[in-house]
Amino acid sequence: MKFWNKRYVVFPIDVSFMILSYFLAHVIRFENFDFLELGVEFWIGMTIVIFVRSIVFFSSNIYRSLWAYASIHDLVEIIKTTLLSSLLSTVCLLFYNRFQHFSRIVPVLDTILLLSFLCLRSFSWRLFRDQYLMPKDKSGKTTILIGAGKAGILLLSELRNQNELGLKPIGFLDDDNNTQGAHIHGFPVLGRIHDLTEIITIERIEMVIITKSNLPSKDITFILNTCEEFKVEVKILPSFSDLINPDPRAKLNQIREVRVEDLLGRESVDLEIDSIRSYLTKHVILITGAGGSIGSEICRQVSVFSPSSIVILDSGETPLYEIDYELRNKFQNIEFISIVADVKNLSRLSYIFDLYKPTVVFHCAAYKHVPLMEINPSEAILNNILGTKNIADISRLSGVERFVLISTDKAVNPVNIMGASKRTSELYIQHIAHSSKTKFITVRFGNVLGSNGSVIPRFKEQIQKGGPVTVTHPDVIRYFMTIPEASQLVLQAGSMGNRGEIFILDMGEPVRILELAEEMIRLSGFRPYKDIDIQFTGLRPGEKLFEELLLDLEGIKPTHHPKIRIAAPTEFISQLQFQNKLNALFSLAKANKNKEIFDLFKDIIPEYTKHNEYISTETNSKIGS
């Protein structure tokens, strides 16, 4: 900003206030104030005071503020500047030491008077604007704000100032006992959230804006159902974490529709930045499956910590190109090395590790679609188990410092090939962890919202086509979290593990898929079963009604992070026996002996319960149902 701008025209006004306050201070102190008696002494004193004050004021920040937006911060700046100028001017007067009528009360009175004048000057225009220039009877949709916190108050100020938004706020609803009956900027807190029905009726509300972050899902559901009943529009204000770049106030008009993520009511993640930075910053990071939903987000999250380079590896050319293009444009200070490679190709992986020498590995590459893996068990074994073994073995031999395996809740008491393959991968990591200098860590979590091929995009597509929305079973439940939250917690767990621990992310409360489908239909502006029907297709091959995050035999212990728990390692057979069983499994997979694969899994994983006998390729027709 240029040193001089039009706001400095206020300076001559402040000088006149300095003269006036100095004069009035003497009038108050000396009842029979006589210019002739004080004479030159008075004018010299005033000159010294005005000169010192002018230097201090002109060097301060008080002329960088806008009158129209005067705030408490501006008041504090005025007080600090005035007190500093008073102190310096008084010291100068004492050093001059030629005053016969110097009174110690005069600088105090002068300071108080000047502060009063400056505050009147600073806040008068804002007061005049708010009282007379702002429209009293603002037109627009009658709006109630849910949440009387900082975000709600900031939004209220913007709604009052920006007529183009077409919204007329009338007050707040908030469950905080301290806000009940209070007024904020002249707007009342009209009640609690569950008073919404009554408030809509009485005040004829046309718009509801949720400004409170991390509102419980039951409250959001209540708001949506109530507004649907009264045909009231619902919007939500993005969290401050979404607004901080670059200017929160500039983005407050980005009020958006309520999304399915908001229904989870998940709290923001508190990360231990220093512990994560210690193993990522200036390191070479290798991420397999970098083109997938989790892999690509881990690429983004890792890039924030400024590693020296990131090797992004995927067997899919197109998704790898897309994440490479995004990362290179967003993080231009980091070297990105894009590698098209298959984790089943051991010699190719050895070449990559020898060439780039990664110190941290995030192994995200895996086949994850349960019904597809049921009819392609050989590929599940070779990609999920053999691929993990290849990456883990090379990491151990190459001196990688940390290896993080991404696992799934389907590995717990698995009933499908995909879950059994991931559980076997977990067991292999635990087997080799105790005899390796590499710190092997496994992170297990459930479904992530919006991942490739997940239920959310499928529901959206079906709704856009006018339905029906297909749900496998009315009682099926799943755990959900957002992709960024899962990825951030993976980075956190990566800083905590040492010897094969399985970290379990807090997935919150399980979600009924039927209720999720109903809410997504409502969020799209339709009525479930009326505008868009919901049909039940039956569980697909390998699916369970509910997922578990912990084996009964594993036990569970808390960690110092509230969203991460740890499973105690299970008892193992000898590593030689386990390796022999794996080799037999790989041989069966390469020979495409699918029926024998199912039988051998039962031997490797005692808790594996096969819901279906060997599934032939005829079952393929059921996958899309």
Side-chain angles (χ1 to χ4, degrees), residues 340-542:
V340 178
D342 194 320
V343 293
K344 300 189 290 291
N345 188 337
L346 184 60
S347 61
R348 172 76 166 145
L349 295 177
S350 298
Y351 170 78
I352 293 167
F353 273 73
D354 289 341
L355 183 61
Y356 298 109
K357 296 178 173 52
T359 55
V360 179
V361 173
F362 291 94
H363 181 45
C364 310
Y367 290 146
K368 66 178 183 178
H369 293 289
V370 169
L372 277 176
M373 294 305 101
E374 287 299 289
I375 62 171
N376 297 282
S378 298
E379 287 302 310
I381 290 166
L382 295 176
N383 191 75
N384 292 2
I385 304 176
L386 180 60
T388 298
K389 182 179 183 300
N390 288 343
I391 292 285
D393 288 346
I394 297 174
S395 296
R396 178 174 53 168
L397 295 173
S398 302
V400 168
E401 295 178 10
R402 291 180 185 269
F403 179 100
V404 182
L405 170 67
I406 306 300
S407 190
T408 171
D409 55 359
K410 295 173 180 61
V412 184
N413 294 323
V415 299
N416 51 61
I417 286 294
M418 186 272 187
S421 67
K422 295 300 286 185
R423 177 58 182 157
T424 305
S425 299
E426 292 180 355
L427 291 174
Y428 184 74
I429 293 299
Q430 288 187 319
H431 267 92
I432 66 174
H434 295 282
S435 59
S436 173
K437 293 182 179 180
T438 301
K439 295 179 179 180
F440 284 96
I441 303 124
T442 297
V443 183
R444 183 190 289 167
F445 53 88
N447 302 279
V448 288
L449 286 175
S451 62
N452 297 331
S454 68
V455 68
I456 304 300
R458 180 162 59 86
F459 282 170
K460 287 181 178 178
E461 181 182 357
Q462 291 174 336
I463 292 170
Q464 288 173 356
K465 292 180 178 179
V469 172
T470 57
V471 177
T472 56
H473 192 283
D475 296 325
V476 68
I477 63 173
R478 293 289 184 266
Y479 291 93
F480 285 101
M481 68 194 316
T482 64
I483 294 176
E485 180 185 8
S487 302
Q488 290 168 9
L489 288 174
V490 166
L491 299 191
Q492 184 67 70
S495 70
M496 298 163 62
N498 288 290
R499 291 290 179 263
E501 301 95 337
I502 296 178
F503 290 98
I504 303 162
L505 305 189
D506 175 18
M507 298 296 297
E509 296 297 322
V511 177
R512 286 188 61 181
I513 299 300
L514 175 59
E515 294 178 356
L516 184 65
E518 292 171 346
E519 291 301 336
M520 288 189 64
I521 292 172
R522 292 190 184 98
L523 290 177
S524 301
F526 302 104
R527 295 169 297 175
Y529 309 105
K530 294 182 180 179
D531 300 325
I532 293 182
D533 193 21
I534 297 178
Q535 295 180 358
F536 301 104
T537 59
L539 291 175
R540 296 176 296 179

Side-chain angles (χ1 to χ4, degrees), residues 133-144:
L133 298 184
M134 296 296 292
K136 296 293 183 181
D137 299 321
K138 183 176 179 178
S139 60
K141 294 181 180 179
T142 308
T143 304
I144 190 79

Side-chain angles (χ1 to χ4, degrees), residues 173-213:
L173 292 181
D174 199 294
D175 285 341
D176 188 350
N177 292 330
N178 296 325
T179 63
Q180 299 305 307
H183 281 69
I184 301 173
H185 294 329
F187 289 82
V189 178
L190 297 170
R192 302 179 184 275
I193 293 175
H194 283 269
D195 296 326
L196 180 61
T197 303
E198 181 182 356
I199 298 299
I200 287 176
T201 304
I202 295 174
E203 301 292 343
R204 297 182 178 179
I205 301 298
E206 299 172 88
M207 169 79 77
V208 171
I209 301 178
I210 301 172
T211 66
K212 189 173 184 178
S213 61

Side-chain angles (χ1 to χ4, degrees), residues 226-437:
T226 302
C227 292
E228 180 187 12
E229 178 184 353
F230 288 92
K231 294 181 173 54
V232 173
E233 198 173 349
V234 186
K235 300 285 186 181
I236 192 167
L237 183 69
S239 65
F240 271 104
S241 61
D242 298 328
L243 295 173
I244 58 175
N245 188 16
D247 179 11
R249 296 180 68 92
K251 289 191 175 183
L252 280 175
N253 58 356
Q254 294 184 359
I255 304 168
R256 58 169 172 82
E257 302 286 345
V258 179
R259 299 172 184 162
V260 66
E261 294 94 324
D262 302 314
L263 298 175
L264 293 180
R266 299 191 64 86
E267 298 179 357
S268 58
V269 177
D270 293 324
L271 296 178
E272 298 170 353
I273 301 299
D274 291 338
S275 63
I276 298 174
R277 184 183 291 116
S278 66
Y279 82 95
L280 293 180
T281 302
K282 296 182 179 179
H283 283 258
V284 180
I285 315 296
L286 185 144
I287 302 170
T288 70
S293 304
I294 292 295
S296 60
E297 184 62 28
I298 287 180
C299 289
R300 299 181 190 99
Q301 300 288 347
V302 167
S303 299
V304 173
F305 292 90
S306 301
S308 60
S309 62
I310 302 179
V311 181
I312 53 177
L313 184 151
D314 202 290
S315 60
E317 175 193 27
T318 300
L320 184 65
Y321 171 80
E322 290 174 351
I323 187 62
D324 176 89
Y325 181 81
E326 176 188 336
L327 294 173
R328 289 181 188 277
N329 282 277
K330 189 173 183 180
F331 303 97
Q332 298 180 3
N333 60 324
I334 300 174
E335 180 186 12
F336 294 99
I337 303 143
S338 298
I339 303 292
V340 178
D342 194 320
V343 293
K344 300 189 290 291
N345 188 337
L346 184 60
S347 61
R348 172 76 166 145
L349 295 177
S350 298
Y351 170 78
I352 293 167
F353 273 73
D354 289 341
L355 183 61
Y356 298 109
K357 296 178 173 52
T359 55
V360 179
V361 173
F362 291 94
H363 181 45
C364 310
Y367 290 146
K368 66 178 183 178
H369 293 289
V370 169
L372 277 176
M373 294 305 101
E374 287 299 289
I375 62 171
N376 297 282
S378 298
E379 287 302 310
I381 290 166
L382 295 176
N383 191 75
N384 292 2
I385 304 176
L386 180 60
T388 298
K389 182 179 183 300
N390 288 343
I391 292 285
D393 288 346
I394 297 174
S395 296
R396 178 174 53 168
L397 295 173
S398 302
V400 168
E401 295 178 10
R402 291 180 185 269
F403 179 100
V404 182
L405 170 67
I406 306 300
S407 190
T408 171
D409 55 359
K410 295 173 180 61
V412 184
N413 294 323
V415 299
N416 51 61
I417 286 294
M418 186 272 187
S421 67
K422 295 300 286 185
R423 177 58 182 157
T424 305
S425 299
E426 292 180 355
L427 291 174
Y428 184 74
I429 293 299
Q430 288 187 319
H431 267 92
I432 66 174
H434 295 282
S435 59
S436 173
K437 293 182 179 180

